[in-house]
Every structure is written in C-alpha cells, then in structure tokens.
Amino acid sequence: MNQTFNLIEEITRNDGSIYYELGNVTENSRAEYAADHGFIKMVRILKMNVPRSSHLLKVEEYLNKTYEQLPIEADHFDEWVKPEEIQKEMQQVLLDNKLG
C-alpha cells in the first residue's frame, strides 16, 4: 500500500545527530514507538499538512517504491536512505516549508 506523507519530522539518532524525514500519523507512531524502545533518541513533528508539491511527490514516490511499510511495533527503526537526486528533492521540500 502506498503511503501519503503530510508532515515533516525531526528525528534524533541515538548518537545525537538529527535528520529530517517525511511522515504521516502512522510513520510518526512508528517513530514514537522506536524512541520509547531506544532505537532512536527522539522524534518531533515540525510541520503538519505539508503542501503536495512536485518535490514532495517525487520523494513520496521514491519512498513508496523503495521501502516497505513496517508494523508500528517493529524490532528496529529504518532510516530511509535516499540517492542524491531524491535528497535534493527532500531539501527543496524543507526549504519550501521554511525548515532548511
């Protein structure tokens, strides 16, 4: 099933470094569960109702084709690695939402 991403999360890894990711209620629940179980340090929502720009759609399409949706109670947390082209699109999503 394809996911629709409508929020931007700030995820803090256990080493203290931070990255930004697209999410939705389900993915945020998964990240909260991961934080509660020590797979990541913390997650927080930075922006909700992110506009459906062409940049967001390209990232969303890549994530849906590349990564499988895990159950909320997974035994690990996957960081979605993106190729340079998709990372540039993600950076534009952040800039468009005044987060980059």
Side-chain angles (χ1 to χ4, degrees):
M1 177 169 79
N2 283 341
Q3 297 191 75
T4 299
F5 298 106
N6 58 3
L7 55 87
I8 298 173
E9 300 173 311
E10 177 186 81
I11 298 174
T12 305
R13 300 176 185 101
N14 284 331
D15 67 4
S17 60
I18 293 172
Y19 73 100
Y20 303 97
E21 192 58 82
L22 295 180
N24 53 34
V25 171
T26 302
E27 289 300 327
N28 183 256
S29 297
R30 184 173 294 107
E32 291 287 351
Y33 181 89
D36 288 346
H37 289 82
F39 304 128
I40 59 174
K41 190 177 224 176
M42 183 176 74
V43 61
R44 68 184 186 128
I45 297 172
L46 297 179
K47 177 124 186 195
M48 297 178 71
N49 300 319
V50 177
R52 309 267 317 140
S53 69
S54 62
H55 304 290
L56 182 136
L57 294 175
K58 287 177 186 175
V59 178
E60 183 177 85
E61 179 182 12
Y62 173 79
L63 294 176
N64 278 316
K65 285 183 178 179
T66 307
Y67 293 100
E68 194 174 313
Q69 186 176 1
L70 296 174
I72 289 176
E73 297 174 343
D75 63 355
H76 66 286
F77 185 80
D78 287 335
E79 182 173 336
W80 295 335
V81 179
K82 301 170 195 69
E84 185 176 344
E85 174 186 324
I86 299 301
Q87 190 57 44
K88 286 179 182 177
E89 297 291 342
M90 181 66 187
Q91 186 60 39
Q92 191 60 51
V93 171
L94 295 173
L95 289 171
D96 291 348
N97 287 280
K98 299 177 179 25
L99 296 171

